[in-house]
Amino acid sequence: MLPIILAMEAEDQRSRMVEIYDHYGSFVYRCIGDYFQDFQRKEDLFQEVFKRLIERAEVVEILPHRQLRSYIWYTVRSVCCNLLQKEKGHRTESLETLWEEEGFEVAGDAPAVYETIEKEELSDRVSAAMGKLTARERDVLSYKYFMEMSDQEIAAAMGIAQSSVRVYLMRARNHLVKIWQREEHE
């Protein structure tokens, strides 16, 4: 069991996180293993994923199974992408670009979970455009359109007021449209 889960003060949240650890731990580890092979790096990322999930325990508690699995997968993807971007020292267009820079052949070696969820996501072009958004903009759009979370769930996940969710969505959509239009003219 992860020490960070055992250190949680709220008994109900700790119990829920233990359930998630037991039920989804191998899924998280497998997803991370598809991105990275180094044992220590995988262990560190595993801890980071659960740290993020604990930070958003109020969201994790209320999500149904289908949305929770997507939320966990998205968290793994975000943690891995952030690490690769930090190591590279610059933002890149997408996680796929980072994989290619690392010599990871996306078409043939794509993680199985990525292939499954990719069907639910927008086209590669939109994904690349989303990679140019800020992390907060990507999160709000992913929560709303990929994970189909309610405004209340999004507010809890992002730590913002529920009344602000629509403003964040509008700004993120507008920024995405501008990026899309800019790329069409290039």
Side-chain angles (χ1 to χ4, degrees):
M1 185 62 54
L2 295 175
I4 55 175
I5 293 175
L6 297 175
M8 294 177 74
E9 292 180 16
E11 177 62 36
D12 56 334
Q13 287 182 342
R14 183 173 52 242
S15 296
R16 178 69 171 139
M17 290 309 297
V18 168
E19 286 176 29
I20 290 169
Y21 176 84
D22 289 342
H23 189 77
Y24 293 101
S26 61
F27 171 72
V28 170
Y29 203 81
R30 197 170 53 249
C31 292
I32 293 169
D34 286 333
Y35 294 102
F36 298 101
Q37 299 307 312
D38 176 70
F39 176 78
Q40 187 58 51
R41 184 183 267 183
K42 287 193 296 190
E43 290 297 316
D44 293 344
L45 289 167
F46 187 83
Q47 294 272 343
E48 182 63 27
V49 167
F50 273 92
K51 179 180 167 213
R52 288 234 190 131
L53 294 174
I54 288 169
E55 289 170 356
R56 298 294 184 217
E58 66 279 358
V59 174
V60 172
E61 288 177 358
I62 62 174
L63 289 176
H65 173 73
R66 183 181 59 82
Q67 288 180 330
L68 180 58
R69 186 174 172 89
S70 294
Y71 184 82
I72 291 170
W73 176 84
Y74 183 81
T75 302
V76 170
R77 182 178 178 173
S78 178
V79 166
C80 291
C81 186
N82 289 344
L83 176 66
L84 286 169
Q85 287 178 342
K86 185 178 179 181
E87 287 178 355
K88 290 291 180 184
H90 61 82
R91 279 187 74 182
T92 60
E93 291 182 10
S94 67
L95 183 60
E96 289 76 13
T97 303
L98 286 166
W99 281 340
E100 289 168 6
E101 290 173 5
E102 292 289 314
F104 187 84
E105 295 179 20
V106 178
D109 295 42
V113 66
Y114 183 80
E115 292 170 357
T116 302
I117 294 178
E118 182 68 37
K119 294 174 186 171
E120 298 173 8
E121 291 191 28
L122 298 173
S123 70
D124 291 338
R125 193 165 164 216
V126 173
S127 295
M130 282 190 63
K132 294 179 181 179
L133 297 173
T134 66
R136 202 163 183 89
E137 290 170 331
R138 273 192 315 271
D139 287 348
V140 73
L141 290 173
S142 294
Y143 294 155
K144 185 66 174 180
Y145 299 110
F146 300 146
M147 294 180 224
E148 300 173 353
M149 294 170 67
S150 69
D151 289 358
Q152 181 182 7
E153 293 166 335
I154 294 170
M158 295 183 68
I160 60 175
Q162 186 174 342
S163 59
S164 300
V165 170
R166 293 291 170 183
V167 173
Y168 277 82
L169 281 167
M170 180 187 67
R171 288 179 183 162
R173 284 190 302 255
N174 289 341
H175 191 195
L176 185 62
V177 167
K178 286 179 184 177
I179 291 168
W180 186 274
Q181 290 170 341
R182 195 175 337 138
E183 287 180 355
E184 280 187 340
H185 296 308
E186 290 180 356

